[in-house]
Amino acid sequence: MVRKLLLTAVGIGFVGLWGGFASEKAPMGEKIEHPQWSYSGKTGPKYWGYLSPEYIMCAIGKNQSPIDLNEKYMVKACTRPLQINYVADAVKVLNNGHTIKVITLGKSYVVIDGRKFYLRQFHFHAPSEHTVNGEYYPFEAHFVHTDDEGNIAVIGVLFKLGKTNKELQKIWDYMPTKVGQENLLLTKVNPYLLLPKKKDYYRYNGSLTTPPCSEGVRWIIFKEPVEISAEQLNLFKEVMGFPNNRPIQPINARKILK
Ligand SMILES: [Zn+2]
């Protein structure tokens, strides 16, 4: 029973982390310093679904993320231009042991399906989680939004190697190198400047890519990649110390809109 309660507490803690509304603290007020899941070994992606009852979707879900954005599964659709209203409301950057995450004030939003989805946080993965026709990119950013009813929408941006990314550098200058550390962003960071110029996108129905792997997530991935320098990529990899991407999940009955 105690064990079950503990697992529940951890589960709720991570739901909070993901939604970005809660602080990085477990309900007992303790810092989560030893994540209960990881990207390899006995608490790695293969076992996520069995680490806690809250994580069951990681094992049994049929609409999981990430996926390979493969031409084979794409259908042409009239994907409407996204109405993106991002402002410079990023306030702090933290290292939670799984990623580097930027917390926003929730003033930025995007309109999807006629609903306003507010940007709660954005974070990074190396290599990319999504692949395009089987190819990985070196880096991917996820902009996590929720609407007033708690529905989740994530915008993914793929990065290729190239020039120094100026907006990303503003965050990198404050990157916390130790797990559990967080730094205030003492400079204006506008997440809009991390998005590609062309806003054509793929869209599909998926999940969170970390426990609890909740489904019903509206995924938007921009087709055009943006650039990151080798130096910026290496700093992220060094600080993380391991690849923080969940393996590609089966597409099952889904289609990708393009
Ligand atoms: Zn992510």
Side-chain angles (χ1 to χ4, degrees):
M1 187 62 186
V2 170
R3 187 176 152 80
K4 196 179 171 203
L5 277 175
L6 186 67
L7 286 170
T8 304
V10 170
I12 292 168
F14 279 117
V15 171
L17 285 184
W18 251 100
F21 346 92
S23 69
E24 303 300 310
K25 288 176 182 174
M28 300 301 284
E30 297 148 30
K31 281 267 185 191
I32 299 168
E33 283 174 3
H34 302 288
Q36 300 296 300
W37 57 271
S38 66
Y39 283 101
S40 62
K42 295 210 164 105
T43 53
K46 268 191 277 183
Y47 306 104
W48 286 354
Y50 311 102
L51 297 175
S52 156
E54 280 73 27
Y55 298 173
I56 190 67
M57 290 312 285
C58 304
I60 67 164
K62 294 283 180 253
N63 298 304
Q64 291 287 294
S65 295
I67 57 166
D68 179 32
L69 299 163
N70 198 297
E71 205 63 46
K72 277 190 284 190
Y73 306 110
M74 289 186 191
V75 288
K76 276 211 170 124
C78 291
T79 45
R80 291 198 204 158
L82 288 178
Q83 192 191 321
I84 303 169
N85 295 275
Y86 280 2
V87 293
D89 69 341
V91 284
K92 65 179 177 180
V93 55
L94 58 92
N95 178 339
N96 65 9
H98 302 303
T99 189
I100 297 296
K101 177 152 76 174
V102 177
I103 304 296
T104 58
L105 292 174
K107 291 177 183 165
S108 296
Y109 66 88
V110 58
V111 181
I112 304 171
D113 301 333
R115 295 162 181 265
K116 270 188 186 178
F117 284 86
Y118 296 92
L119 180 63
R120 306 298 176 178
Q121 49 104 337
F122 54 97
H123 62 265
F124 309 97
H125 299 271
S128 65
E129 294 211 294
H130 292 88
T131 52
V132 181
N133 294 317
E135 297 287 328
Y136 279 91
Y137 280 78
F139 191 76
E140 182 172 339
H142 288 159
F143 298 82
V144 182
H145 310 72
T146 58
D147 71 2
D148 289 336
E149 291 170 21
N151 297 300
I152 301 170
V154 185
I155 292 181
V157 175
L158 299 163
F159 288 65
K160 62 179 182 182
L161 279 181
K163 290 194 293 273
T164 299
N165 188 308
K166 283 185 192 159
E167 207 62 16
L168 190 68
Q169 191 57 42
K170 292 184 189 172
I171 302 164
W172 265 211
D173 287 343
Y174 291 93
M175 188 192 290
T177 53
K178 296 209 171 68
V179 174
Q181 223 178 30
E182 61 178 52
N183 293 331
L184 289 176
L185 276 172
L186 301 174
T187 183
K188 277 198 174 174
V189 175
N190 188 342
Y192 192 81
L193 300 175
L194 290 168
L195 308 182
K197 282 206 179 78
K198 275 194 215 154
K199 301 293 192 294
D200 296 340
Y201 59 89
Y202 304 112
R203 178 173 175 173
Y204 79 98
N205 177 24
S207 74
L208 299 182
T209 66
T210 56
C213 305
S214 319
E215 295 193 337
V217 175
R218 290 163 166 88
W219 271 98
I220 303 274
I221 315 270
F222 287 121
K223 293 179 183 177
E224 184 179 59
V226 299
E227 294 187 8
I228 182 173
S229 71
E231 203 179 323
Q232 289 178 314
L233 178 63
N234 287 339
L235 176 62
F236 180 82
K237 286 187 185 172
E238 264 169 42
V239 168
M240 294 314 297
F242 50 85
N244 68 335
N245 65 312
R246 184 189 194 194
I248 294 294
Q249 303 296 303
I251 190 154
N252 296 321
R254 290 174 288 178
K255 290 284 180 204
I256 302 158
L257 307 184
K258 66 169 178 180

